[in-house]
Amino acid sequence: MHAHIEVVQRSSQRQVDLKLLKQEGGWWDRLTLQPKKPLFLAPDFDRWIDESDAEMELKKKEEERISSISVESRVRKDPFLAVKRGYLFMYNLVQFLGFSWIFVNMSVRLFILGQDSFYDTFHSTADMMYFCQMMAVLEVLNPLLGLVRTGFIPALLQVSGRNMILFVVFGAVEEMQNKAVVFFVFYIWSWIEIFRYPFYMLGCMGSEWKLLTWLRYTLWIPLYPLGTIAEAVAVVQSLSVFDQTQMFALPLPAFVGGSLSFSYSLRLYLILMFLGLFINFRHLYKQRRRRYRSRKRKQQ
């Protein structure tokens, strides 16, 4: 048995610890050359490892390694993850640029023309708003395809509600296109989206900007009710136009005669609009509470 001896001094006056460093690996049959060790010499049993203990330790480490490999093999990595993230990033980028253009255009016109800009909002921004809202249909499909974890119902309610206002109330009724309510509807929509889409873009990159996160989870509190009120005003203003023009009226059977005005459908839609606001409000409130509750836990 060959070993270097390193003396480690301790504060205790009762003992001196000797650390034996082996020159060659292997197991020792005994601690000293003599069959009987001196009485003053004792091994440190807290660090004592014999051959059987070492085998058990190696076996345990091997089992842990095999277990970790089996767990990793069960959790399959998505080979299309980069493609999905790239698609979501580009979608959110395009939507952000579109709504930013609308917002800047309306802000500049408001600064230059004042209230006169209210009455020409549709003709100056409708094409871009059409594009953005047609693209927004993908937000309904993305949860169904498993690309995002957001709920399908809230996305469907928001997209279908906005498209009803844009394509039916504003787009199909020329008398509505020069009303001031168009400005408020478009401006509130833009306010919401110029903060929502950049938040999702950063999420695709695994990054976060605290101020943007706060705006994303806070601005909807005043803006969603204001947007719903503006949309409701637009629907109410269009009722008389649909009654007069009989646009989209539903023909009734011959024995009844006449037709059912589309305005009745819009009256029903007004009720559903505020029901949808309640559903979306509750959904976003839960998201906000979950977000900041988890952050507090991390900080603690």
Side-chain angles (χ1 to χ4, degrees):
M1 298 184 296
H2 299 284
H4 296 296
I5 297 179
E6 178 183 346
V7 180
V8 180
Q9 298 291 339
R10 298 186 61 178
S11 60
S12 174
Q13 298 179 356
R14 299 179 57 187
Q15 67 183 29
V16 175
D17 289 342
L18 302 178
K19 182 183 292 184
L20 306 181
L21 304 178
K22 295 181 181 179
Q23 290 182 346
E24 298 177 359
W27 295 99
W28 288 354
D29 297 330
R30 57 181 181 271
L31 189 61
T32 61
L33 290 174
Q34 297 81 9
K36 188 177 180 180
K37 67 179 180 62
L39 295 176
F40 63 83
L41 186 64
D44 186 353
F45 286 102
D46 292 335
R47 301 181 183 181
W48 181 275
I49 298 178
D50 58 23
E51 196 166 356
S52 60
D53 293 334
E55 290 177 356
M56 291 294 294
E57 187 175 346
L58 290 173
K59 185 177 179 181
K60 184 179 179 181
K61 289 183 179 179
E62 182 66 16
E63 289 177 352
E64 291 177 353
R65 186 182 69 84
I66 294 173
S67 177
S68 65
I69 293 175
S70 63
V71 170
E72 291 176 359
S73 64
R74 286 196 299 268
V75 181
R76 296 181 179 179
K77 294 183 178 180
D78 188 353
F80 302 104
L81 182 60
V83 177
K84 292 177 181 178
R85 286 183 176 176
Y87 154 72
L88 291 174
F89 179 84
M90 290 304 300
Y91 167 77
N92 290 307
L93 175 61
V94 170
Q95 289 289 69
F96 169 66
L97 294 176
F99 279 103
S100 295
W101 184 90
I102 295 171
F103 179 79
V104 172
N105 182 289
M106 294 177 66
S107 299
V108 171
R109 289 174 57 83
L110 178 64
F111 179 76
I112 296 175
L113 302 176
Q115 293 185 3
D116 292 339
S117 67
F118 292 174
Y119 309 102
D120 197 33
T121 299
F122 185 85
H123 300 288
S124 61
T125 60
D127 290 339
M128 183 60 72
M129 187 62 78
Y130 280 147
F131 172 78
C132 290
Q133 283 307 125
M134 286 189 289
M135 286 279 293
V137 174
L138 294 175
E139 295 185 28
V140 181
L141 300 177
N142 289 339
L144 295 177
L145 298 176
L147 298 176
V148 295
R149 296 180 181 179
T150 55
F152 164 74
I153 297 299
L156 177 64
L157 291 175
Q158 177 169 309
V159 173
S160 59
R162 284 189 180 183
N163 285 348
M164 168 68 81
I165 299 296
L166 177 62
F167 291 99
V168 178
V169 176
F170 292 157
V173 183
E174 189 174 352
E175 291 86 343
M176 291 295 301
Q177 295 175 5
N178 60 353
K179 291 186 178 294
V181 69
V182 179
F183 174 88
F184 294 101
V185 171
F186 283 10
Y187 210 53
I188 292 173
W189 288 358
S190 301
W191 261 106
I192 295 171
E193 305 304 9
I194 60 175
F195 296 109
R196 187 167 72 100
Y197 287 117
F199 171 78
Y200 290 147
M201 287 166 56
L202 290 178
C204 293
M205 298 185 296
S207 182
E208 181 183 3
W209 183 27
K210 291 184 179 180
L211 176 59
L212 183 61
T213 301
W214 184 86
L215 291 171
R216 161 69 182 97
Y217 285 102
T218 305
L219 277 182
W220 61 268
I221 297 174
L223 291 181
Y224 267 66
L226 288 175
T228 302
I229 293 172
E231 293 171 19
V233 170
V235 171
V236 171
Q237 290 181 351
S238 70
L239 294 178
S240 60
V241 179
F242 282 105
D243 286 336
Q244 294 172 5
T245 62
Q246 289 298 298
M247 185 183 300
F248 304 135
L250 179 66
L252 296 176
F255 67 90
V256 177
S259 59
L260 185 65
S261 174
F262 185 70
S263 64
Y264 292 103
S265 300
L266 289 178
R267 288 181 173 90
L268 176 61
Y269 175 71
L270 278 174
I271 300 174
L272 297 177
M273 181 187 300
F274 286 96
L275 177 61
L277 173 64
F278 170 75
I279 294 174
N280 267 336
F281 212 91
R282 185 178 63 176
H283 171 71
L284 290 170
Y285 174 75
K286 287 181 178 179
Q287 279 190 334
R288 189 180 195 278
R289 187 176 60 178
R290 191 184 311 120
R291 179 81 179 190
Y292 286 101
R293 184 173 57 189
S294 62
R295 279 186 137 197
K296 287 181 181 179
R297 287 178 179 176
K298 288 179 180 179
Q299 290 175 359
Q300 291 174 357

